[in-house]
Amino acid sequence: MFVAINLSAQAPSLAGQVGNGHVYGFSSLKFHPGINAQEGYAQLQYGIGQCFSAGADVYASGSGLSSMSALARFAMPLNSYASLGVQLSPTFSLNDNMKFTSVTTALYLNGIFSKRSNMMWCINTRWGVNRKSEYTLNQWSYLGYRIPLRNGHAITPMLGGWHSWKFDQDMDFTTGFLYSAKRCGIYFYINEYLKDHIGVLMGLDFVI
């Protein structure tokens, strides 16, 4: 199951929609073996009609930084091969009396290569305008292959990469998988391969 995950979650986001009257939730923990640098993230969305949703998320790091974002998003299928999602997220600091810190606009594109194949692609582009620093323009790109299992379950191994469109930072690579059941999913991803300590992310999402 993929809906829309904020930048801090650092997991692939597809242009799915919650559905009218449904609630989507996601929670993750990221850690770096060898150092004390954890990151926690949680999100809730409520579906309004078939294409819109609104919600909020919370991010906290082991260094003491924490923030909260409101989010509004629109998503729809473009055709039988691709889907589009757009999200707007103003962010506020929980360390500084809820002062505004940034606003992020995200574009989600995903689709399949062929109706006869389980291979899929996913592109996440995020533009962040920050109150006290320069803007960011980052992109995550993924390839995946969905392997059907019994009872409608599936596992999707994924390989991806991250880069800044400003070309001012090191690139990054991601490997991992999603195990999806009917209304929930389990995420496991490893990234930051080019740094001294890799990042390991575990997450869980659901729709009710």
Coordinates of all heavy atoms in Angstrom, one line a residue, residues 6 19 49 57-58 74-75 84 112 114 128 131 151-152 156 162-164 169 182 185 188 197:
N6 N 5.7 11.9 3.7 CA 6.4 13.2 3.7 C 7.9 12.9 3.5 O 8.4 11.8 3.7 CB 6.2 13.9 5.1 CG 6.9 15.2 5.2 OD1 8.0 15.3 5.5 ND2 6.1 16.3 4.9
G19 N -9.2 7.6 -0.2 CA -10.6 7.2 -0.4 C -11.5 7.9 0.5 O -11.2 8.2 1.7
G49 N -13.6 12.9 -0.6 CA -13.9 12.6 -2.0 C -12.9 11.5 -2.4 O -12.2 10.9 -1.7
D57 N 1.5 15.5 10.0 CA 2.5 14.5 10.3 C 3.4 15.2 11.4 O 3.4 16.4 11.6 CB 3.3 14.1 9.1 CG 4.0 15.2 8.4 OD1 4.4 16.2 9.0 OD2 4.2 15.1 7.2
V58 N 4.2 14.3 12.0 CA 5.1 14.7 13.1 C 6.5 14.0 12.8 O 6.5 12.8 12.5 CB 4.6 14.4 14.5 CG1 5.7 14.7 15.6 CG2 3.3 15.1 14.8
F74 N -3.8 16.1 -3.6 CA -4.7 15.7 -4.7 C -4.0 14.6 -5.4 O -2.8 14.6 -5.7 CB -4.9 16.9 -5.6 CG -5.6 16.5 -6.9 CD1 -7.0 16.4 -6.9 CD2 -4.9 16.3 -8.0 CE1 -7.7 16.0 -8.0 CE2 -5.6 15.9 -9.2 CZ -7.0 15.8 -9.2
A75 N -4.7 13.5 -5.8 CA -4.1 12.4 -6.5 C -5.2 11.8 -7.5 O -6.4 11.8 -7.1 CB -3.6 11.3 -5.6
L84 N -0.8 10.4 -10.9 CA -0.2 11.7 -10.5 C -0.7 12.1 -9.1 O -1.9 11.9 -8.8 CB -0.6 12.7 -11.5 CG -0.3 14.2 -11.1 CD1 1.2 14.5 -11.2 CD2 -1.1 15.1 -12.1
I112 N 3.4 1.7 -14.4 CA 3.9 0.3 -14.8 C 4.5 0.4 -16.1 O 4.2 1.4 -16.9 CB 2.7 -0.7 -14.8 CG1 1.6 -0.2 -15.8 CG2 2.2 -0.9 -13.4 CD1 0.5 -1.3 -15.9
S114 N 4.4 -2.2 -18.3 CA 3.6 -3.0 -19.3 C 2.5 -3.7 -18.5 O 2.7 -4.0 -17.3 CB 4.4 -4.1 -20.0 OG 3.6 -5.0 -20.6
G128 N 11.4 22.5 -1.5 CA 11.2 23.0 -0.2 C 11.6 24.5 -0.1 O 12.8 24.8 -0.5
R131 N 12.5 29.0 5.7 CA 12.5 30.4 6.2 C 13.9 30.9 6.5 O 14.1 32.1 6.3 CB 11.6 30.4 7.5 CG 11.5 31.8 8.1 CD 10.4 31.9 9.2 NE 10.8 31.0 10.3 CZ 11.4 31.5 11.4 NH1 11.7 32.8 11.5 NH2 11.7 30.7 12.4
N151 N -3.6 -15.0 -0.7 CA -4.6 -14.2 -0.1 C -4.5 -12.7 -0.4 O -4.8 -11.9 0.4 CB -4.5 -14.4 1.5 CG -4.6 -15.8 1.9 OD1 -5.5 -16.5 1.4 ND2 -3.8 -16.3 2.8
G152 N -4.0 -12.4 -1.6 CA -4.0 -11.0 -2.0 C -2.8 -10.2 -1.5 O -2.7 -9.0 -1.7
T156 N 7.2 -6.3 -2.7 CA 7.7 -5.5 -3.8 C 9.1 -5.1 -3.4 O 9.3 -4.1 -2.7 CB 6.8 -4.3 -4.0 OG1 5.5 -4.7 -4.2 CG2 7.3 -3.5 -5.3
W162 N 18.6 8.9 -4.9 CA 18.2 10.2 -4.6 C 19.3 11.2 -5.1 O 20.5 10.9 -5.0 CB 18.1 10.4 -3.0 CG 17.9 11.8 -2.6 CD1 16.8 12.4 -2.3 CD2 19.0 12.7 -2.3 NE1 17.0 13.7 -1.9 CE2 18.3 13.9 -1.9 CE3 20.4 12.7 -2.3 CZ2 19.1 15.1 -1.5 CZ3 21.1 13.9 -2.0 CH2 20.4 15.0 -1.6
H163 N 18.8 12.4 -5.5 CA 19.8 13.4 -5.9 C 19.1 14.8 -5.8 O 17.9 14.9 -5.8 CB 20.4 13.2 -7.3 CG 19.4 13.6 -8.4 ND1 18.5 12.8 -8.9 CD2 19.3 14.8 -9.1 CE1 17.8 13.3 -9.8 NE2 18.2 14.6 -10.0
S164 N 19.9 15.8 -5.6 CA 19.5 17.2 -5.6 C 19.5 17.8 -7.0 O 20.6 17.6 -7.6 CB 20.3 18.0 -4.6 OG 20.1 19.4 -4.8
Q169 N 25.0 18.3 -3.4 CA 25.2 17.3 -2.3 C 25.5 16.0 -2.9 O 25.3 15.7 -4.1 CB 23.9 17.1 -1.5 CG 23.4 18.4 -0.8 CD 22.1 18.1 0.0 OE1 22.1 17.3 0.8 NE2 21.1 18.9 -0.4
K182 N -4.0 -6.6 2.6 CA -5.2 -5.9 2.1 C -5.2 -4.4 2.5 O -5.5 -3.5 1.7 CB -6.4 -6.6 2.5 CG -6.5 -8.0 1.9 CD -7.8 -8.7 2.3 CE -7.9 -10.1 1.6 NZ -9.1 -10.8 2.0
G185 N 0.7 -2.3 5.3 CA 1.9 -2.6 4.6 C 3.1 -2.5 5.6 O 3.0 -1.7 6.5
F188 N 10.7 -1.8 4.7 CA 12.1 -2.0 5.2 C 13.0 -1.5 4.1 O 13.0 -2.0 3.0 CB 12.4 -3.5 5.5 CG 13.8 -3.7 6.0 CD1 14.0 -3.5 7.4 CD2 14.8 -4.0 5.2 CE1 15.3 -3.7 7.9 CE2 16.1 -4.1 5.7 CZ 16.4 -4.0 7.1
H197 N 27.9 5.8 8.1 CA 26.9 4.9 8.7 C 25.7 4.8 7.9 O 25.1 5.8 7.6 CB 26.6 5.3 10.1 CG 27.8 5.4 11.1 ND1 28.2 4.3 11.8 CD2 28.6 6.4 11.3 CE1 29.3 4.6 12.5 NE2 29.6 5.9 12.2

